């Protein structure tokens, strides 16, 4: 994967991290909100998922030489 | 609903969105009793036989696509050439072989070698077969006789997505063992332990579940949407072009002009569809190769 031509799919991988993060933790927050009757867990989950997605992108792609 | 849309919904299944409905090649008596020609009779229910479900025009099309691909590779494969000079036997490629090797190298070098790297040869046959099968089936959307891209039926796209999913998970498990693969696929190197419990479900979702879904949906949605746009331009355009005052209320000659323009525009849409057909075949292959490569990647 060090080949400069080998990054055709990286954009899609990055996008899938962001999407999965937001969907997973946003979804969990939404469920928790419905269960507990609160209203702050959905936005908190969305932000947490987004942050984790960005973090994973940095981990996976930023570490390359 | 406008009159052109009614036409798109179409009574004739080979015309309009009815083309997306698979038709049995050998309709059973039960099927025929509930269909007026190819059009389903509303409120009529019947139990389809296996031939109604499995022997359809779209499945036949996929099989024909596979046969075309197999035929192509058999025709262009290297063979011994009879030559006066014995040293040249099978060494100098024929024109057909040259063409085949050119197409083969496009995937072998441009996708497999660049993305998978070490030991890439094992995956070249699958990637070449995948690319040529998708390409041929996509181009059927722009080709006379078929005029329907096979992968705009989502089931065909799921089939290929499942194959690629099995491949990239299989090679990962084979190389690293089941738990070793799961660990490398769900926990990127260098993530601190206190973050792991948040990261692992996310990585699992992204790498194991979302990947095949996007792989299949991308192929399906591009071809479905593209074919629908073609249909709107061609069917709607021709209806407007030949519309007369008796066709519909509110008729004006502007309709005919607009229809003519829409038909001209449809050539442009077809050109885009050609591009999309090639691009989606390539993207599916590239992503499969990349998933294989990420399954095989060593932790650093």
């Amino acid at each position: 994967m060090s080949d400069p031509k080998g990054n055709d799919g990286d954009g899609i991988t990055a996008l899938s991290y962001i999407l999965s993060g937001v969907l997973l933790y946003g979804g969990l927050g939404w469920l928790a909100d419905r269960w507990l009757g609160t209203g702050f867990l959905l936005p908190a989950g969305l932000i947490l998922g987004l942050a984790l997605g960005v973090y994973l992108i940095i981990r996976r792609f930023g570490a390359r030489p | 609903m406008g009159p052109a849309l009614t036409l798109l919904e179409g009574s004739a299944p080979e015309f309009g969105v009815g083309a997306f409905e698979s038709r049995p090649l050998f309709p059973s008596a039960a099927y025929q009793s509930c269909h007026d020609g190819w059009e389903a009779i509303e409120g009529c229910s019947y139990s389809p036989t296996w031939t109604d479900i499995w022997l359809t025009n779209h499945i036949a099309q996929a099989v024909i696509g596979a046969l075309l691909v197999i035929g192509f590779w058999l025709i262009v494969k290297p063979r011994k050439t009879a030559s006066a000079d014995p040293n040249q036997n099978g060494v100098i490629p024929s024109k057909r072989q040259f063409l085949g090797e050119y197409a083969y190298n496009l995937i072998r070098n441009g996708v497999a070698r660049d993305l998978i790297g070490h030991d890439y040869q094992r995956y070249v046959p699958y990637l070449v077969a995948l690319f040529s099968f998708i390409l041929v089936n996509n181009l059927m959307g722009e080709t006379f006789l078929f005029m329907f891209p096979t992968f705009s039926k989502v089931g065909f796209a799921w089939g290929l997505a499942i194959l690629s999913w099995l491949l990239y998970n299989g090679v990962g498990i084979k190389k690293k063992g089941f738990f070793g693969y799961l660990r490398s696929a769900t926990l990127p190197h260098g993530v601190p332990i206190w973050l792991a419990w948040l990261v692992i479900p996310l990585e699992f979702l992204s790498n194991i579940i979302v990947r095949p879904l996007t792989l299949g949906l991308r192929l399906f949605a591009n071809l479905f949407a593209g074919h629908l746009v073609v249909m709107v331009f061609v069917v709607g355009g021709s209806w407007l072009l030949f519309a007369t005052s008796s066709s519909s209320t509110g008729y004006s000659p502007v309709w005919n002009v607009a229809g003519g323009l829409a038909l001209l525009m449809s050539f442009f849409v077809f050109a885009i569809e050609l591009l999309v057909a090639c691009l989606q075949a390539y993207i599916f292959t590239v992503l499969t190769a990349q998933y294989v490569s990420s399954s095989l990647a060593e932790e650093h």
Side-chain angles (χ1 to χ4, degrees):
Chain A
M1 291 292 286
S2 57
D3 193 302
K5 281 169 78 185
N7 49 21
D8 298 22
D10 284 0
I12 289 160
T13 314
L15 184 68
S16 94
Y17 275 137
I18 298 278
L19 278 182
S20 343
V22 168
L23 286 179
L24 178 66
Y25 287 106
L28 284 178
W30 181 77
L31 282 177
D33 266 346
R34 283 184 60 106
W35 184 43
L36 299 168
T38 51
F40 69 97
L41 284 171
L42 169 62
L46 288 176
I47 292 167
L48 176 69
L50 186 64
L52 281 172
V54 172
Y55 171 75
L56 280 175
I57 291 168
I58 294 170
R59 265 278 159 248
R60 189 140 276 188
F61 300 116
R64 277 190 206 160
Chain B
M1 191 188 295
L5 272 178
T6 319
L7 191 82
L8 265 179
E9 285 211 323
S11 48
E14 63 276 12
F15 198 56
V17 288
F20 288 108
E21 247 167 71
S22 297
R23 305 196 302 273
L25 293 174
F26 312 103
S28 65
Y31 178 92
Q32 283 170 330
S33 71
C34 265
H35 287 77
D36 180 14
W38 295 116
E39 197 189 2
I41 296 167
E42 215 145 310
C44 176
S45 74
Y46 68 106
S47 52
T49 61
W50 69 271
T51 51
D52 286 341
I53 298 170
W54 291 103
L55 297 182
T56 65
N57 56 340
H58 294 147
I59 289 179
Q61 188 180 318
V63 171
I64 292 170
L67 292 177
L68 285 176
V69 168
I70 293 170
F72 172 79
W73 292 116
L74 283 181
I75 287 171
V76 300
K77 78 167 183 184
R79 65 192 76 208
K80 286 234 156 71
T81 41
S83 166
D85 181 354
N87 289 328
Q88 289 185 355
N89 270 345
V91 175
I92 298 175
S94 63
K95 281 175 192 160
R96 285 187 302 194
Q97 184 185 340
F98 183 78
L99 174 75
E101 282 176 0
Y102 189 84
Y104 179 79
N105 278 341
L106 188 77
I107 300 301
R108 178 187 180 272
N109 298 343
V111 177
R113 195 175 64 188
D114 284 357
L115 284 173
I116 300 177
H118 176 69
D119 211 18
Y120 66 92
Q121 285 96 336
R122 309 171 58 185
Y123 308 102
V124 174
Y126 175 70
L127 293 175
V128 168
L130 189 67
F131 177 74
S132 40
F133 181 64
I134 299 178
L135 183 65
V136 163
N137 275 290
N138 285 358
L139 289 178
M140 282 175 172
E142 281 77 52
T143 317
F144 55 90
L145 209 63
F146 299 102
M147 217 54 217
F148 184 83
T150 321
F151 291 108
S152 63
K153 296 282 286 185
V154 74
F156 292 100
W158 288 143
L160 288 189
I162 289 170
L163 269 186
S164 287
W165 185 84
L166 288 175
L167 176 74
Y168 80 77
N169 286 317
V171 297
I173 290 171
K174 194 180 168 201
K175 177 161 182 195
K176 300 169 183 170
F178 185 72
F179 291 105
Y181 169 67
L182 271 189
R183 189 185 180 287
S184 80
T186 56
L187 194 62
H189 187 67
V191 173
I193 294 296
W194 60 271
L195 258 181
W197 65 278
L198 284 173
V199 162
I200 286 174
L202 207 169
E203 283 268 343
F204 183 82
L205 189 73
S206 160
N207 289 346
I208 312 286
I209 297 172
V210 171
R211 273 179 180 182
L213 289 181
T214 53
L215 209 53
L217 274 183
R218 182 182 305 110
L219 180 61
F220 155 73
N222 272 285
L223 289 151
F224 177 73
H227 200 60
L228 213 53
V229 172
V230 165
M231 231 170 232
V232 167
F233 272 85
V234 174
V235 179
S238 47
W239 188 88
L240 283 173
L241 181 64
F242 296 113
T244 58
S245 49
S246 63
S247 308
S248 175
T249 50
Y251 165 81
S252 84
V254 180
W255 287 19
N256 304 116
V257 179
L261 285 178
L263 279 182
L264 283 179
M265 279 289 286
S266 73
F267 287 95
F268 176 66
V269 176
F270 267 118
I272 291 181
E273 282 316 295
L274 279 176
L275 177 73
V276 167
C278 301
L279 202 62
Q280 289 306 318
Y282 182 73
I283 287 177
F284 199 102
T285 317
V286 163
L287 285 176
T288 300
Q290 205 193 2
Y291 294 161
V292 168
S293 142
S294 76
S295 283
L296 292 173
E298 292 291 348
E299 298 282 338
H300 296 293

